[in-house]
mmCIF file of all heavy atoms in Angstrom:
data_model
loop_
_atom_site.group_PDB
_atom_site.id
_atom_site.type_symbol
_atom_site.label_atom_id
_atom_site.label_comp_id
_atom_site.label_asym_id
_atom_site.label_seq_id
_atom_site.Cartn_x
_atom_site.Cartn_y
_atom_site.Cartn_z
ATOM 1 N N ILE A 3 -175.512 161.072 267.162
ATOM 2 C CA ILE A 3 -176.757 161.604 267.718
ATOM 3 C C ILE A 3 -177.945 161.235 266.821
ATOM 4 O O ILE A 3 -177.782 160.917 265.636
ATOM 5 C CB ILE A 3 -176.723 163.143 267.885
ATOM 6 C CG1 ILE A 3 -176.749 163.842 266.510
ATOM 7 C CG2 ILE A 3 -175.517 163.575 268.703
ATOM 8 C CD1 ILE A 3 -177.026 165.336 266.582
ATOM 9 N N PHE A 4 -179.122 161.288 267.421
ATOM 10 C CA PHE A 4 -180.383 161.135 266.701
ATOM 11 C C PHE A 4 -181.245 162.293 267.157
ATOM 12 O O PHE A 4 -181.667 162.357 268.307
ATOM 13 C CB PHE A 4 -181.034 159.791 267.055
ATOM 14 C CG PHE A 4 -182.389 159.589 266.417
ATOM 15 C CD1 PHE A 4 -182.519 159.493 265.046
ATOM 16 C CD2 PHE A 4 -183.535 159.479 267.202
ATOM 17 C CE1 PHE A 4 -183.760 159.296 264.455
ATOM 18 C CE2 PHE A 4 -184.776 159.276 266.626
ATOM 19 C CZ PHE A 4 -184.893 159.183 265.252
ATOM 20 N N ASP A 5 -181.502 163.250 266.241
ATOM 21 C CA ASP A 5 -182.145 164.486 266.688
ATOM 22 C C ASP A 5 -182.929 165.127 265.542
ATOM 23 O O ASP A 5 -182.859 164.702 264.384
ATOM 24 C CB ASP A 5 -181.079 165.458 267.199
ATOM 25 C CG ASP A 5 -181.650 166.536 268.117
ATOM 26 O OD1 ASP A 5 -182.778 166.360 268.613
ATOM 27 O OD2 ASP A 5 -180.971 167.559 268.323
ATOM 28 N N ILE A 6 -183.676 166.185 265.892
ATOM 29 C CA ILE A 6 -184.419 166.960 264.909
ATOM 30 C C ILE A 6 -183.453 167.755 264.039
ATOM 31 O O ILE A 6 -182.506 168.364 264.532
ATOM 32 C CB ILE A 6 -185.398 167.924 265.615
ATOM 33 C CG1 ILE A 6 -186.564 167.146 266.219
ATOM 34 C CG2 ILE A 6 -185.930 168.962 264.645
ATOM 35 C CD1 ILE A 6 -187.565 168.028 266.935
ATOM 36 N N VAL A 7 -183.709 167.744 262.742
ATOM 37 C CA VAL A 7 -182.922 168.522 261.788
ATOM 38 C C VAL A 7 -183.893 169.342 260.945
ATOM 39 O O VAL A 7 -184.880 168.818 260.441
ATOM 40 C CB VAL A 7 -182.078 167.614 260.870
ATOM 41 C CG1 VAL A 7 -181.303 168.460 259.859
ATOM 42 C CG2 VAL A 7 -181.124 166.754 261.691
ATOM 43 N N SER A 8 -183.624 170.637 260.827
ATOM 44 C CA SER A 8 -184.424 171.499 259.956
ATOM 45 C C SER A 8 -183.561 171.917 258.775
ATOM 46 O O SER A 8 -183.617 171.330 257.712
ATOM 47 C CB SER A 8 -184.948 172.709 260.719
ATOM 48 O OG SER A 8 -185.856 172.307 261.727
ATOM 49 N N SER A 9 -182.720 172.910 258.981
ATOM 50 C CA SER A 9 -181.841 173.363 257.907
ATOM 51 C C SER A 9 -180.515 172.616 257.889
ATOM 52 O O SER A 9 -179.832 172.560 256.861
ATOM 53 C CB SER A 9 -181.560 174.860 258.067
ATOM 54 O OG SER A 9 -180.830 175.099 259.259
ATOM 55 N N GLY A 10 -180.133 172.053 259.035
ATOM 56 C CA GLY A 10 -178.850 171.371 259.124
ATOM 57 C C GLY A 10 -177.733 172.265 259.628
ATOM 58 O O GLY A 10 -176.606 171.802 259.847
ATOM 59 N N GLY A 11 -178.028 173.548 259.851
ATOM 60 C CA GLY A 11 -177.005 174.487 260.301
ATOM 61 C C GLY A 11 -176.416 174.132 261.651
ATOM 62 O O GLY A 11 -175.208 174.289 261.876
ATOM 63 N N THR A 12 -177.256 173.644 262.567
ATOM 64 C CA THR A 12 -176.765 173.279 263.903
ATOM 65 C C THR A 12 -175.773 172.130 263.811
ATOM 66 O O THR A 12 -174.770 172.102 264.542
ATOM 67 C CB THR A 12 -177.939 172.885 264.819
ATOM 68 O OG1 THR A 12 -178.833 173.990 264.933
ATOM 69 C CG2 THR A 12 -177.445 172.511 266.209
ATOM 70 N N LEU A 13 -176.027 171.184 262.929
ATOM 71 C CA LEU A 13 -175.092 170.068 262.747
ATOM 72 C C LEU A 13 -173.736 170.567 262.259
ATOM 73 O O LEU A 13 -172.690 170.168 262.780
ATOM 74 C CB LEU A 13 -175.663 169.047 261.753
ATOM 75 C CG LEU A 13 -176.950 168.330 262.142
ATOM 76 C CD1 LEU A 13 -177.356 167.347 261.045
ATOM 77 C CD2 LEU A 13 -176.794 167.598 263.472
ATOM 78 N N VAL A 14 -173.774 171.440 261.282
ATOM 79 C CA VAL A 14 -172.523 171.966 260.718
ATOM 80 C C VAL A 14 -171.717 172.696 261.780
ATOM 81 O O VAL A 14 -170.489 172.523 261.880
ATOM 82 C CB VAL A 14 -172.817 172.910 259.533
ATOM 83 C CG1 VAL A 14 -171.537 173.607 259.070
ATOM 84 C CG2 VAL A 14 -173.444 172.138 258.379
ATOM 85 N N ARG A 15 -172.411 173.497 262.603
ATOM 86 C CA ARG A 15 -171.707 174.254 263.647
ATOM 87 C C ARG A 15 -171.077 173.343 264.693
ATOM 88 O O ARG A 15 -170.138 173.749 265.380
ATOM 89 C CB ARG A 15 -172.673 175.229 264.325
ATOM 90 C CG ARG A 15 -173.049 176.416 263.460
ATOM 91 C CD ARG A 15 -173.748 177.498 264.271
ATOM 92 N NE ARG A 15 -175.033 177.055 264.787
ATOM 93 C CZ ARG A 15 -176.176 177.132 264.124
ATOM 94 N NH1 ARG A 15 -176.186 177.620 262.886
ATOM 95 N NH2 ARG A 15 -177.301 176.733 264.682
ATOM 96 N N ASN A 16 -171.569 172.132 264.807
ATOM 97 C CA ASN A 16 -171.019 171.190 265.782
ATOM 98 C C ASN A 16 -170.229 170.063 265.116
ATOM 99 O O ASN A 16 -170.008 169.007 265.717
ATOM 100 C CB ASN A 16 -172.150 170.609 266.631
ATOM 101 C CG ASN A 16 -172.705 171.610 267.627
ATOM 102 O OD1 ASN A 16 -172.182 171.783 268.727
ATOM 103 N ND2 ASN A 16 -173.784 172.288 267.225
ATOM 104 N N SER A 17 -169.804 170.314 263.874
ATOM 105 C CA SER A 17 -168.964 169.371 263.119
ATOM 106 C C SER A 17 -169.600 167.993 262.999
ATOM 107 O O SER A 17 -168.943 166.955 263.154
ATOM 108 C CB SER A 17 -167.574 169.252 263.783
ATOM 109 O OG SER A 17 -166.935 170.498 263.833
ATOM 110 N N LEU A 18 -170.915 167.991 262.711
ATOM 111 C CA LEU A 18 -171.651 166.743 262.526
ATOM 112 C C LEU A 18 -172.181 166.665 261.103
ATOM 113 O O LEU A 18 -172.403 167.680 260.444
ATOM 114 C CB LEU A 18 -172.808 166.649 263.513
ATOM 115 C CG LEU A 18 -172.444 166.605 265.002
ATOM 116 C CD1 LEU A 18 -173.700 166.753 265.863
ATOM 117 C CD2 LEU A 18 -171.713 165.314 265.344
ATOM 118 N N VAL A 19 -172.427 165.439 260.652
ATOM 119 C CA VAL A 19 -172.946 165.206 259.311
ATOM 120 C C VAL A 19 -174.186 164.321 259.403
ATOM 121 O O VAL A 19 -174.157 163.266 260.044
ATOM 122 C CB VAL A 19 -171.889 164.524 258.412
ATOM 123 C CG1 VAL A 19 -172.479 164.211 257.035
ATOM 124 C CG2 VAL A 19 -170.648 165.387 258.279
ATOM 125 N N GLU A 20 -175.266 164.763 258.778
ATOM 126 C CA GLU A 20 -176.493 163.959 258.728
ATOM 127 C C GLU A 20 -176.267 162.792 257.771
ATOM 128 O O GLU A 20 -175.888 162.983 256.623
ATOM 129 C CB GLU A 20 -177.653 164.827 258.235
ATOM 130 C CG GLU A 20 -178.986 164.112 258.165
ATOM 131 C CD GLU A 20 -180.097 165.017 257.635
ATOM 132 O OE1 GLU A 20 -179.783 166.139 257.160
ATOM 133 O OE2 GLU A 20 -181.265 164.596 257.677
ATOM 134 N N VAL A 21 -176.522 161.558 258.256
ATOM 135 C CA VAL A 21 -176.242 160.389 257.418
ATOM 136 C C VAL A 21 -177.486 159.556 257.104
ATOM 137 O O VAL A 21 -177.475 158.770 256.149
ATOM 138 C CB VAL A 21 -175.166 159.480 258.073
ATOM 139 C CG1 VAL A 21 -173.831 160.208 258.143
ATOM 140 C CG2 VAL A 21 -175.599 158.999 259.448
ATOM 141 N N TYR A 22 -178.559 159.702 257.886
ATOM 142 C CA TYR A 22 -179.747 158.890 257.603
ATOM 143 C C TYR A 22 -180.993 159.552 258.164
ATOM 144 O O TYR A 22 -181.060 159.853 259.360
ATOM 145 C CB TYR A 22 -179.606 157.493 258.211
ATOM 146 C CG TYR A 22 -180.558 156.476 257.615
ATOM 147 C CD1 TYR A 22 -180.172 155.699 256.525
ATOM 148 C CD2 TYR A 22 -181.847 156.309 258.116
ATOM 149 C CE1 TYR A 22 -181.041 154.773 255.959
ATOM 150 C CE2 TYR A 22 -182.716 155.387 257.548
ATOM 151 C CZ TYR A 22 -182.316 154.624 256.474
ATOM 152 O OH TYR A 22 -183.171 153.711 255.918
ATOM 153 N N ARG A 23 -181.991 159.781 257.289
ATOM 154 C CA ARG A 23 -183.271 160.341 257.715
ATOM 155 C C ARG A 23 -184.187 159.193 258.153
ATOM 156 O O ARG A 23 -184.463 158.291 257.369
ATOM 157 C CB ARG A 23 -183.933 161.125 256.583
ATOM 158 C CG ARG A 23 -183.134 162.325 256.125
ATOM 159 C CD ARG A 23 -183.933 163.131 255.106
ATOM 160 N NE ARG A 23 -183.168 164.293 254.642
ATOM 161 C CZ ARG A 23 -183.688 165.266 253.903
ATOM 162 N NH1 ARG A 23 -184.974 165.191 253.535
ATOM 163 N NH2 ARG A 23 -182.953 166.280 253.528
ATOM 164 N N VAL A 24 -184.678 159.272 259.378
ATOM 165 C CA VAL A 24 -185.515 158.196 259.919
ATOM 166 C C VAL A 24 -186.996 158.549 259.840
ATOM 167 O O VAL A 24 -187.827 157.739 259.452
ATOM 168 C CB VAL A 24 -185.116 157.883 261.372
ATOM 169 C CG1 VAL A 24 -186.043 156.829 261.982
ATOM 170 C CG2 VAL A 24 -183.662 157.410 261.425
ATOM 171 N N VAL A 25 -187.353 159.785 260.219
ATOM 172 C CA VAL A 25 -188.753 160.203 260.260
ATOM 173 C C VAL A 25 -188.890 161.598 259.657
ATOM 174 O O VAL A 25 -188.124 162.495 260.009
ATOM 175 C CB VAL A 25 -189.293 160.230 261.716
ATOM 176 C CG1 VAL A 25 -190.678 160.867 261.766
ATOM 177 C CG2 VAL A 25 -189.352 158.823 262.289
ATOM 178 N N GLU A 26 -189.849 161.766 258.766
ATOM 179 C CA GLU A 26 -190.221 163.091 258.265
ATOM 180 C C GLU A 26 -191.374 163.598 259.129
ATOM 181 O O GLU A 26 -192.349 162.880 259.363
ATOM 182 C CB GLU A 26 -190.661 163.025 256.805
ATOM 183 C CG GLU A 26 -189.564 162.586 255.842
ATOM 184 C CD GLU A 26 -188.479 163.625 255.645
ATOM 185 O OE1 GLU A 26 -188.728 164.808 255.993
ATOM 186 O OE2 GLU A 26 -187.403 163.265 255.153
ATOM 187 N N SER A 27 -191.252 164.816 259.620
ATOM 188 C CA SER A 27 -192.255 165.340 260.540
ATOM 189 C C SER A 27 -192.780 166.686 260.067
ATOM 190 O O SER A 27 -192.148 167.377 259.270
ATOM 191 C CB SER A 27 -191.659 165.481 261.946
ATOM 192 O OG SER A 27 -192.621 165.951 262.870
ATOM 193 N N GLU A 28 -193.955 167.042 260.560
ATOM 194 C CA GLU A 28 -194.557 168.348 260.335
ATOM 195 C C GLU A 28 -195.585 168.567 261.429
ATOM 196 O O GLU A 28 -195.859 167.658 262.229
ATOM 197 C CB GLU A 28 -195.224 168.421 258.962
ATOM 198 C CG GLU A 28 -196.405 167.480 258.798
ATOM 199 C CD GLU A 28 -197.021 167.567 257.406
ATOM 200 O OE1 GLU A 28 -197.841 168.491 257.199
ATOM 201 O OE2 GLU A 28 -196.681 166.728 256.549
ATOM 202 N N ALA A 29 -196.155 169.753 261.486
ATOM 203 C CA ALA A 29 -197.205 170.032 262.464
ATOM 204 C C ALA A 29 -198.463 169.253 262.084
ATOM 205 O O ALA A 29 -198.822 169.175 260.906
ATOM 206 C CB ALA A 29 -197.504 171.522 262.510
ATOM 207 N N VAL A 30 -199.107 168.673 263.094
ATOM 208 C CA VAL A 30 -200.348 167.923 262.858
ATOM 209 C C VAL A 30 -201.394 168.340 263.886
ATOM 210 O O VAL A 30 -201.068 168.787 264.991
ATOM 211 C CB VAL A 30 -200.128 166.400 262.936
ATOM 212 C CG1 VAL A 30 -199.244 165.916 261.805
ATOM 213 C CG2 VAL A 30 -199.536 165.995 264.287
ATOM 214 N N LEU A 31 -202.648 168.187 263.481
ATOM 215 C CA LEU A 31 -203.767 168.377 264.406
ATOM 216 C C LEU A 31 -204.168 167.003 264.899
ATOM 217 O O LEU A 31 -204.516 166.130 264.103
ATOM 218 C CB LEU A 31 -204.940 169.056 263.698
ATOM 219 C CG LEU A 31 -206.197 169.271 264.569
ATOM 220 C CD1 LEU A 31 -205.952 170.333 265.633
ATOM 221 C CD2 LEU A 31 -207.394 169.667 263.686
ATOM 222 N N ILE A 32 -204.097 166.793 266.219
ATOM 223 C CA ILE A 32 -204.453 165.503 266.799
ATOM 224 C C ILE A 32 -205.725 165.650 267.621
ATOM 225 O O ILE A 32 -206.083 166.748 268.049
ATOM 226 C CB ILE A 32 -203.320 164.929 267.673
ATOM 227 C CG1 ILE A 32 -202.974 165.880 268.832
ATOM 228 C CG2 ILE A 32 -202.094 164.634 266.820
ATOM 229 C CD1 ILE A 32 -201.957 165.310 269.814
ATOM 230 N N ALA A 33 -206.418 164.530 267.819
ATOM 231 C CA ALA A 33 -207.675 164.558 268.559
ATOM 232 C C ALA A 33 -207.787 163.351 269.474
ATOM 233 O O ALA A 33 -207.253 162.273 269.176
ATOM 234 C CB ALA A 33 -208.868 164.586 267.598
ATOM 235 N N ASN A 34 -208.486 163.539 270.593
ATOM 236 C CA ASN A 34 -208.903 162.418 271.420
ATOM 237 C C ASN A 34 -210.084 161.773 270.692
ATOM 238 O O ASN A 34 -211.046 162.471 270.344
ATOM 239 C CB ASN A 34 -209.325 162.913 272.800
ATOM 240 C CG ASN A 34 -209.668 161.778 273.740
ATOM 241 O OD1 ASN A 34 -210.528 160.965 273.435
ATOM 242 N ND2 ASN A 34 -209.014 161.727 274.882
ATOM 243 N N PRO A 35 -210.044 160.479 270.429
ATOM 244 C CA PRO A 35 -211.138 159.835 269.677
ATOM 245 C C PRO A 35 -212.523 160.081 270.263
ATOM 246 O O PRO A 35 -213.518 160.049 269.540
ATOM 247 C CB PRO A 35 -210.767 158.344 269.737
ATOM 248 C CG PRO A 35 -209.270 158.343 269.871
ATOM 249 C CD PRO A 35 -208.959 159.529 270.744
#
């Protein structure tokens, strides 16, 4: 899978292991130019 990970608890509960971080995300303020 390729999905959002926060604490990783959901992965553990579904017997999955995070192997590669692709994008670091956070809340952003966006604007129409």
Side-chain angles (χ1 to χ4, degrees):
I3 70 167
F4 176 65
D5 200 17
I6 288 180
V7 178
S8 295
S9 65
T12 300
L13 297 181
V14 172
R15 287 193 295 273
N16 287 275
S17 301
L18 297 170
V19 177
E20 181 181 9
V21 295
Y22 198 92
R23 297 186 180 190
V24 176
V25 171
E26 296 289 343
S27 182
E28 65 181 277
V30 294
L31 178 70
I32 60 174
N34 184 303

